[in-house]
Amino acid sequence: MTTILQIETATQVCSAAISRNGKTIALKEEMANNIHAGSLTLFIKSVMDEAGLKYEELDAIAVSKGPGSYTGLRIGVSTAKGLCFALDKPLIAIDTLQMMAEGFATQHPENKGLICSMIDARRMEVFTAVFDPKLQHCSPVEAKIIDEQSFGDLLKDHSITFIGDGAAKCAEALSHEHASFSDANFNSASNMSRLAMEAFEAANFEDVAYFEPFYLKDFVLTTPKKK
């Protein structure tokens, strides 16, 4: 029986879950600004208590690797690595955009179209990737500025559901008869369960000492203009 602690902090959602054999058995999450640093360890303790587990009973730690919020990813990955070091457990990294598509596909098994995961990256830019119903990449992960021509080639021949906190702001630009939008939250650690189990069975583990989040874009520190 494989038991995995799962952590998702790539967006405003702070989420922790426990899965057993690929099924979520405990979940604690909240969507709010700047809560990850103060809430993540409390959420982890909450799901561990709910599942009746001791930390040494975990088989692995899975973390959403990005792309997403620089600060959120740093907090999630640092916490996961710390637990792996302390418990001598393997680290599993989950593609955040694929995790989101997994959540949509699980909730909508009837869907036959493509799924486009989008994470808000300010203004009209998003971190995005397109997946088929089997969660295979139809387009690479990229930082993309959205306009009326975006995804035009795919929308000609496929229906696409756009999901994530970057999708709503793109709805007007992407108005097309084959485009639809979901405002549900798919940035949940519960959506890692099947993917994390597959990675564990394949022994697809990260080097805990050297693993870094997948930021996609470099963090840029700006200085406020003087008034």
Side-chain angles (χ1 to χ4, degrees):
M1 188 171 293
T2 303
T3 305
I4 301 175
L5 169 64
Q6 299 162 183
I7 296 169
E8 155 61 3
T9 56
T11 64
Q12 290 185 0
V13 178
C14 182
S15 181
I18 300 291
S19 68
R20 183 168 289 150
N21 290 347
K23 302 293 184 182
T24 304
I25 62 170
L27 173 67
K28 175 71 174 177
E29 62 188 10
E30 183 178 344
M31 180 186 293
N33 288 323
N34 305 317
I35 66 168
H36 301 79
S39 298
L40 181 57
T41 54
L42 298 176
F43 287 9
I44 291 171
K45 183 179 185 304
S46 176
V47 295
M48 292 293 292
D49 290 345
E50 181 181 343
L53 288 171
K54 297 178 181 178
Y55 284 91
E56 57 267 25
E57 294 176 306
L58 294 170
D59 293 295
I61 315 294
V63 66
S64 174
K65 71 176 183 179
S69 159
Y70 183 93
T71 302
L73 290 172
R74 291 297 298 179
I75 292 168
V77 169
S78 295
T79 301
K81 290 173 69 171
L83 287 167
C84 289
F85 272 122
L87 300 169
D88 192 25
K89 302 295 182 180
L91 176 66
I92 296 169
I94 302 295
D95 179 331
T96 303
L97 296 168
Q98 186 179 36
M99 176 200 71
M100 294 165 63
E102 165 81 5
F104 178 83
T106 299
Q107 293 185 28
H108 300 276
E110 77 287 351
N111 177 65
K112 304 299 182 184
L114 304 181
I115 307 165
C116 181
S117 301
M118 288 182 161
I119 293 175
D120 191 355
R122 299 182 180 181
R123 297 185 178 88
M124 287 305 289
E125 187 173 31
V126 294
F127 301 133
T128 186
V130 180
F131 302 87
D132 67 20
K134 295 183 178 179
L135 303 187
Q136 301 301 308
H137 280 271
C138 297
S139 71
V141 177
E142 60 182 330
K144 189 177 183 72
I145 296 174
I146 303 301
D147 59 27
E148 292 79 1
Q149 306 304 315
S150 299
F151 305 103
D153 291 344
L154 288 174
L155 284 167
K156 283 191 301 184
D157 301 315
H158 303 276
S159 63
I160 304 178
T161 303
F162 296 89
I163 66 171
D165 66 6
K169 71 177 185 180
C170 300
E172 185 174 347
L174 295 173
S175 58
H176 190 284
E177 61 179 343
H178 292 160
S180 58
F181 298 82
S182 173
D183 59 3
N185 168 45
F186 297 106
N187 286 94
S188 173
S190 63
N191 294 330
M192 292 187 200
S193 298
R194 185 186 66 83
L195 299 172
M197 184 64 187
E198 287 186 351
F200 184 86
E201 291 179 332
N204 186 11
F205 304 136
E206 304 296 332
D207 185 319
V208 177
Y210 295 103
F211 177 73
E212 292 290 333
F214 176 43
Y215 296 119
L216 189 56
K217 291 182 66 177
D218 292 334
F219 178 71
V220 178
L221 182 64
T222 58
T223 303
K225 295 181 180 179
K226 294 182 180 180
K227 294 183 179 180

